[in-house]
Amino acid sequence: MSTDPKEIGAAVRQLLGDALSYLYPAALRVAANADIAEHLADGPRTAADLAERTGLHADHLHRVLRFLAGRGVFREDEDGRFHTTVAASLLRGGSPVTLRNLVLLFTSDMYWLPAGRLSDTVGKGNTVFDELFGGQIFDHLAKDAEAATLFADAMADLSVLEHGGMAESYEFPENGTVIDIAGGLGGMLHAVLTRNPSVRGVLVDRPEILARHRVRDPAVADRFETAEGDFFSAVPSGGDVYLLKRIIHDKSDEDAIRILRTVRQAMSGTARLLIIDIVVPPGGLPHPNPMSDLLMMTVFEGRERTEEEISGLLSAAGLKLSRVLTTPSAMSITEAMAT
């Protein structure tokens, strides 16, 4: 152990600050839930003014915003007025790039409460989500329409940050059909169709999700369609390329294999499956996103997997890994074909 007082002092401050770091997402949730950034869009305001507009307690709101200003989310001037910042602009729901839904999802009870029981998860070897909500997360979402809507919107907003680079990282076949399984509101598929003018696309998901899809672009309308499907039972056949983006990583091995077998049944001998998830490098190399892996363990039943682990799942489903492509994001494209 170091005897350097400065080094020890820095470590003490780090650990104590980290132990209380849960106050930061709690404060972010207050700001996002009250649309503070939206209220500041037309100019700076005092906490009292913002409290009047949002129905919150003025002094308490000021203290929360002061704390967030210390993190660069807002800026407080010498007159006590709060200004928007680049970070704050991302909390506006109507922005082209918005993190508001993601902040609300990641700070919701669905994520917050299981994180508080991480010790139990590590002790048991599986998530305690079912103990808290009476079922696993996707069972819970099927019964809670409001939570399901937030989850779908948040994932769609996250996709905006990723899908362009991923769509450009794979050469889709000319005049081919791309089937996006559990593709949510359609952001990834829209990116593929926009960059590949001869490709047709089918967005597969539950009917309540398809009803709210965001693919309203006239430029791709004649090449886009929707289809109801359940990746545990049946998905449409006839695809040249099938997409599973952020699907396998939050599933247990057993469920992942079930999904892959369903897709395999729909695939022709020449079709390709693209699994778009983080691929963990071999032991000893830096993990591209260890926080995501911890999240998969805490809230879901899945994990971020190595190439070898993904290959094992594919093999169990009658598929074989052909190659792994990097993308501008932390995620990779794992291409598979029928054995």
Side-chain angles (χ1 to χ4, degrees), residues 62 65-66 69 74-83:
H62 179 266
L65 296 180
R66 180 177 60 191
F74 299 102
R75 180 175 67 82
E76 185 180 13
D77 64 26
E78 59 186 11
D79 297 321
R81 297 179 304 171
F82 288 92
H83 299 244

Side-chain angles (χ1 to χ4, degrees), residues 261-283:
R261 283 175 175 164
T262 300
V263 179
R264 172 64 187 91
Q265 290 173 358
M267 291 172 62
S268 69
T270 59
R272 296 293 184 269
L273 166 65
L274 306 186
I275 297 174
I276 305 176
D277 275 325
I278 288 172
V279 176
V280 179

Side-chain angles (χ1 to χ4, degrees), residues 97-158:
V97 177
T98 176
L99 299 183
R100 182 178 183 272
N101 287 319
L102 282 159
V103 168
L104 291 175
L105 176 65
F106 291 163
T107 61
S108 69
D109 287 350
M110 289 189 295
Y111 284 58
W112 188 280
L113 294 180
R117 296 275 303 277
L118 182 57
S119 293
D120 293 333
T121 292
V122 174
K124 292 175 55 180
N126 56 268
T127 178
V128 297
F129 192 98
D130 55 338
E131 294 181 21
L132 294 165
F133 294 95
Q136 298 298 340
I137 184 168
F138 292 107
D139 298 322
H140 174 68
L141 292 175
K143 299 175 183 177
D144 188 326
E146 184 176 353
T149 296
L150 175 61
F151 186 88
D153 287 344
M155 292 300 102
D157 291 343
L158 179 59

Side-chain angles (χ1 to χ4, degrees), residues 19 21 23 36 48 67-68 87 145 155 191 228-229 262:
S21 61
L23 293 173
I36 297 298
F67 171 73
L68 290 173
M155 292 300 102
E228 296 179 13
T262 300

Side-chain angles (χ1 to χ4, degrees), residues 191-213:
V192 170
L193 297 180
T194 299
R195 288 160 177 78
N196 298 273
S198 70
V199 168
R200 302 187 63 82
V202 182
L203 180 64
V204 180
D205 217 308
R206 302 188 308 277
E208 64 271 20
I209 299 297
L210 294 177
R212 299 192 306 111
H213 76 77

Side-chain angles (χ1 to χ4, degrees), residues 41 55 67 89 177:
F67 171 73
S89 69
T177 297

